Amino acid sequence: MNKDERRQQQRQRLLGNRVYKAMEDLTRYMDRYYLDALVGIIPGWGDAMSLLCALPFVYFSAHVIKSVPLTLAIINNALRDMLMGMIPFFVGDIIDIFHRSNIQNMQMIRGFVDGDETMIRQVNQRAFQSVIVLAVLLLLIALMIWALVSFGSFLYSMASSIF
């Protein structure tokens, strides 16, 4: 068996994986049918549920493909999507319609599975940047949660003083 046959056999094994099929379904429902934006309407919980949908992508890249740079890029995408989705007054939900992080994650995974040198090189170049961006995104998410809780407390105190 030559190198191309082994690569094709490995590709078929990856494409037949249950997690890969679940990722395709998640991508279809969350991004193509805009379920990500609809779920995001639920304050706080919607964005957390969208983040949970990224777990199969993280699992597949870390445990099946075993690529640290790809895993970092997927986590980066998921956290960026969560942060943008948390922007209040439905602005984040509108952004979710256009951002489509699941489609981006699926394209990166397909690039790795298909051996797309351009995609592999692009993800590898972003590995270091992803670490920095992940740290900043986690800080921004914490600040956004603090701001939303503070704003909610302010609204509650205003409402309780009126009534």
Side-chain angles (χ1 to χ4, degrees):
M1 185 181 306
N2 66 25
K3 185 178 178 180
D4 290 335
E5 289 172 345
R6 273 186 275 146
R7 184 166 195 71
Q8 187 64 21
Q9 191 177 37
Q10 180 182 10
R11 182 179 183 276
Q12 290 302 321
R13 183 181 60 81
L14 291 174
L15 294 179
N17 189 301
R18 285 184 340 179
V19 177
Y20 188 86
K21 292 179 189 300
M23 292 184 313
E24 286 180 325
D25 291 341
L26 276 171
T27 299
R28 183 175 46 255
Y29 292 117
M30 295 299 282
D31 286 348
R32 290 195 176 99
Y33 298 146
Y34 306 107
L35 192 59
D36 190 17
L38 290 174
V39 170
I41 291 173
I42 305 168
W45 292 103
D47 297 312
M49 290 185 335
S50 292
L51 185 63
L52 287 176
C53 289
L55 290 178
F57 295 95
V58 173
Y59 174 82
F60 194 82
S61 64
H63 295 288
V64 178
I65 295 178
K66 298 181 184 210
S67 170
V68 173
L70 178 61
T71 304
L72 288 172
I74 287 172
I75 292 171
N76 181 351
N77 249 2
L79 290 176
R80 190 172 349 127
D81 184 56
M82 181 181 179
L83 178 66
M84 288 188 286
M86 292 174 72
I87 298 172
F89 306 114
F90 303 105
V91 173
D93 301 316
I94 293 169
I95 291 172
D96 269 343
I97 291 172
F98 299 104
H99 184 250
R100 298 182 177 198
S101 67
N102 295 310
I103 289 175
Q104 294 170 9
N105 289 340
M106 202 66 198
Q107 288 171 342
M108 288 189 288
I109 286 174
R110 282 187 183 127
F112 264 76
V113 168
D114 292 340
D116 181 358
E117 294 296 327
T118 305
M119 182 61 74
I120 293 170
R121 190 173 28 260
Q122 180 184 21
V123 170
N124 285 333
Q125 290 172 349
R126 286 198 248 167
F128 180 71
Q129 295 168 354
S130 292
V131 171
I132 294 169
V133 169
L134 288 173
V136 170
L137 286 174
L138 287 172
L139 177 65
L140 289 173
I141 287 170
L143 288 172
M144 184 65 82
I145 290 170
W146 173 80
L148 291 172
V149 168
S150 297
F151 184 66
S153 297
F154 170 75
L155 289 177
Y156 178 76
S157 67
M158 293 291 291
S160 63
S161 67
I162 293 172
F163 300 110

